[in-house]
Amino acid sequence: MIKKTIVQKPFQIIIFGASGDLASLMLFPAIYNLYAQKRLPENFQIIGYGRTKLTRNQFQKIFHQSIVKKYGQNPYKLTQLIDHLYFFSGPYDDLKSYENLNQFCKKLAGTEKVDQVAYFSVPPVVFADLIVNLSKTIKNSNNKLKLVIEKPFGTSEKTAQELVKILGKHFDQRNIYMLDHYLGKIPVQSIIQLRMENNIINQLLNGDLISNIQLTAFETADIGQRIGYFEHTGIIRDMLQSHLLQILSLITMDIPNHPNRNSLEREKYALLSAVHFSGKKDDLVIGQYQGYQKLRGVKKNSKTDTFAAVKLSIDRRQWFDVPIFMRAGKKLGQTISRVVIEFKTMPFQNHNCAVNKLIFEMKPAEKIELILYKDAKHSKSLTKMGGTVSLAHNLACVGDECLTEYATLILDILNGKKDYFLSINEVLASWKITDDIMKTKNRSDLLNYKGGSEGPKSQYRLTKKENFYWYES
Ligand code: BG6
């Protein structure tokens, strides 16, 4: 029987940007998730910090609504959890306010020694203020203050380097948690686990056997309330820069002997620094959905990409002729989040025959699927065989108790486990690739596509198969 991971030490999490969307949609449900499963100690406090002037009571109501929205009316033990919530309002650039916050936190902790976490649920433009002010106040009282910073870390390699510089000046790397929530997803963590533990899967993930890899993150959702962020970010920086490149690195990196954080980090970084974008316009398709420009907050003639498909390569012997297709888009006909690995056929086989595939799927289902085709010699039909492993009740579950991706990662942060967080080197290497794509984006045509469709119609003359590489349907 797997033992349930719990947090034993008393703690405080200060959520900066606590009145925003990310907090309500992801962080509050994650905290509830951990609490309802009795994984938190008796003594802890969640302190919201934001520019919006909220009373403690108002903040508790917002929290309450977010949980009811996710888990339905009367969620188990919610009233007790609400007692652990506080709110402190103030600007991000005023040192005095952080001094007061520090006093406030000390008073709440009383005589108890508590672990403290500062969670940045704010736009990157305020990161620098937070880092500097926290280092002069709370970190002075608690040298082990942990910082949690969500992707995107900066907007380019240059701005990420600036962020790294400022972080390095004020905080010890060991206390910085760079979070990409995809690394909290069960199917993504399963890639590492399977590769570590299952040699058959690991032997299959060999570039000599693979004809191509396709990573897809399609959403039916549009940009909704997030224009302020998305308009100057675009899909390439939003989805490819961290989420998809991280998954690619997990699938194609060399497997370290010891699955500890340092070796994982070394191998992921080695892989990411070998990923290459050609700079050719033909290797990038970008699009914007019709109606995007009518949204409030979007610039007239905005060039923001809401769809992108890109062809990458990996500069390593076993991967050098394996094209990597990455595609992501908003307001499409389907929500799909998966990696399809297509295997090579044998030289004497009919090249049009269906190919064997290994699929890691995050959405719509959480599963790993191996599809094997039997090429029936005398008939045109193919027999599909293979197996599917459903992951829903796997890694993040103990019995019926499963954790959301954010809950998994918050649990790790509170327990000081950094395996599923990013290193600075990985972040910079990913930006280097993204910057190269962005340069080409500026020279490429932004294609229009209808909401609910498969994305923009290709401007190239593509065969059905090639078309599939760009737009999974
Ligand atoms: C976020 C992006 O990081 O991931 C969003 O900023 C995107 O634009 C989201 O919708 C997708 O996450 P998930 O877990 O729903 O696949």
Side-chain angles (χ1 to χ4, degrees):
M1 168 86 178
I2 310 166
K3 234 176 110 201
K4 184 154 90 177
T5 312
I6 58 166
V7 182
Q8 280 174 327
K9 282 168 76 189
F11 67 85
Q12 293 181 334
I13 302 182
I14 310 160
I15 302 177
F16 291 91
S19 51
D21 263 6
L22 174 71
S24 287
L25 291 174
M26 301 296 179
L27 306 185
F28 300 163
I31 291 165
Y32 171 75
N33 196 202
L34 292 170
Y35 186 75
Q37 291 184 17
K38 301 193 184 75
R39 292 181 193 249
L40 302 185
E42 256 177 40
N43 182 4
F44 71 91
Q45 288 107 33
I46 308 295
I47 301 143
Y49 184 105
R51 282 178 295 209
T52 318
K53 285 200 164 54
L54 295 179
T55 62
R56 181 179 179 203
N57 198 263
Q58 285 169 323
F59 179 55
Q60 289 173 324
K61 272 203 184 122
I62 295 176
F63 191 99
H64 187 279
Q65 278 160 4
S66 119
I67 307 305
V68 168
K69 201 166 164 200
K70 173 115 187 178
Y71 294 100
Q73 288 296 335
N74 301 323
Y76 169 70
K77 277 192 146 202
L78 180 57
T79 334
Q80 288 98 313
L81 171 58
I82 296 275
D83 279 346
H84 293 261
L85 306 181
Y86 298 85
F87 194 79
F88 196 93
S89 85
Y92 294 119
D93 57 357
D94 174 30
L95 182 62
K96 187 85 193 109
S97 199
Y98 291 77
E99 281 164 0
N100 295 338
L101 172 70
N102 193 16
Q103 293 312 318
F104 183 72
C105 293
K106 277 187 180 162
K107 218 159 130 197
L108 289 178
T111 51
E112 193 110 41
K113 206 167 174 289
V114 298
D115 284 349
Q116 288 177 305
V117 175
Y119 199 114
F120 291 14
S121 175
V122 287
V125 280
V126 290
F127 285 179
D129 279 336
L130 252 72
I131 294 164
V132 174
N133 288 324
L134 281 171
S135 90
K136 289 184 182 158
T137 54
I138 301 184
K139 202 199 86 182
N140 264 342
S141 327
N142 174 4
N143 202 25
K144 290 203 176 129
L145 170 68
K146 293 174 184 165
L147 296 190
V148 184
I149 307 183
E150 286 237 13
K151 71 105 221 165
F153 314 98
T155 52
S156 60
E157 191 188 5
K158 186 166 169 275
T159 53
Q161 256 158 353
E162 284 160 12
L163 177 63
V164 167
K165 206 165 145 200
I166 200 160
L167 276 168
K169 203 164 147 201
H170 297 277
F171 282 86
D172 185 327
Q173 254 202 56
R174 278 173 301 189
N175 296 328
I176 302 168
Y177 289 73
M178 298 182 121
L179 185 149
D180 172 334
H181 78 277
Y182 265 53
L183 293 187
K185 287 182 186 284
I186 302 173
V188 177
Q189 295 196 353
S190 302
I191 299 172
I192 310 177
Q193 289 229 334
L194 267 176
R195 295 202 59 198
M196 294 288 182
E197 290 159 12
N198 188 309
N199 202 28
I200 292 191
I201 294 290
N202 214 22
Q203 295 294 329
L204 289 179
L205 291 178
N206 170 349
D208 293 333
L209 306 177
I210 292 171
S211 77
N212 69 78
I213 301 180
Q214 302 159 44
L215 299 101
T216 305
F218 283 174
E219 294 171 86
T220 50
D222 60 14
I223 310 300
Q225 308 298 313
R226 299 175 69 227
I227 285 296
Y229 155 77
F230 200 87
E231 170 64 357
H232 59 85
T233 305
I235 201 83
I236 296 172
R237 292 195 278 220
D238 185 44
M239 293 300 292
L240 272 62
Q241 188 272 332
S242 192
H243 297 329
L244 294 186
L245 282 172
Q246 275 295 314
I247 299 179
L248 176 67
S249 72
L250 295 176
I251 286 183
T252 52
M253 70 179 183
D254 282 354
I255 276 294
N257 280 340
H258 302 290
N260 58 37
R261 165 159 165 98
N262 287 348
S263 37
L264 272 174
E265 190 182 306
R266 184 194 63 224
E267 295 305 336
K268 277 203 284 170
Y269 169 62
L271 190 283
L272 286 168
S273 33
V275 173
H276 177 71
F277 174 64
S278 68
K280 289 187 201 148
K281 274 166 77 174
D282 283 2
D283 288 346
L284 177 69
V285 177
I286 44 167
Q288 187 184 75
Y289 65 78
Q290 284 169 13
Y292 174 79
Q293 298 200 2
K294 295 209 178 97
L295 297 173
R296 243 177 88 190
V298 173
K299 276 195 274 136
K300 212 174 154 218
N301 301 323
S302 162
K303 294 268 179 275
T304 300
D305 42 308
T306 62
F307 177 100
V310 56
K311 184 176 165 191
L312 298 169
S313 60
I314 301 176
D315 187 13
R316 289 196 143 181
R317 193 215 50 84
Q318 65 153 310
W319 295 110
F320 93 100
D321 66 347
V322 182
I324 313 291
F325 295 94
M326 266 186 195
R327 49 208 166 204
K330 300 277 186 188
K331 210 173 179 184
L332 294 165
Q334 299 178 69
T335 292
I336 307 171
S337 177
R338 70 170 158 231
V339 185
V340 177
I341 295 153
E342 287 196 357
F343 293 97
K344 284 180 182 157
T345 49
M346 288 180 281
F348 50 83
Q349 268 183 314
N350 172 356
H351 287 296
N352 290 324
C353 76
V355 290
N356 302 321
K357 291 177 193 161
L358 176 61
I359 300 174
F360 292 92
E361 185 166 289
M362 278 73 79
K363 282 183 191 169
E366 296 196 326
K367 63 177 184 185
I368 296 174
E369 194 174 12
L370 181 62
I371 300 175
L372 305 172
Y373 281 102
K374 185 167 169 289
D375 196 354
K377 270 229 162 90
H378 302 295
S379 82
K380 287 210 166 102
S381 68
L382 291 160
T383 315
K384 188 173 159 184
M385 307 181 296
T388 302
V389 182
S390 163
L391 295 167
H393 279 271
N394 198 327
L395 292 174
C397 307
V398 176
D400 285 338
E401 296 187 334
C402 298
L403 293 178
T404 66
E405 57 233 8
Y406 273 90
T408 306
L409 294 174
I410 291 175
L411 192 62
D412 282 352
I413 294 162
L414 291 169
N415 284 325
K417 187 169 175 270
K418 288 186 87 180
D419 298 11
Y420 298 117
F421 292 83
L422 312 185
S423 68
I424 286 169
N425 283 338
E426 290 164 48
V427 170
L428 294 176
S430 303
W431 272 121
K432 197 165 184 313
I433 305 159
T434 313
D435 284 355
D436 286 344
I437 303 173
M438 292 303 285
K439 275 184 224 149
T440 306
K441 188 211 137 186
N442 296 337
R443 296 186 280 118
S444 306
D445 301 327
L446 186 68
L447 307 172
N448 219 257
Y449 65 95
K450 277 205 181 107
S453 70
E454 282 173 19
K457 288 266 171 299
S458 169
Q459 77 267 54
Y460 312 118
R461 275 199 214 141
L462 298 171
T463 63
K464 205 169 161 225
K465 178 101 189 162
E466 283 164 341
N467 200 53
F468 173 75
Y469 288 147
W470 290 108
Y471 317 103
E472 178 173 294
S473 53

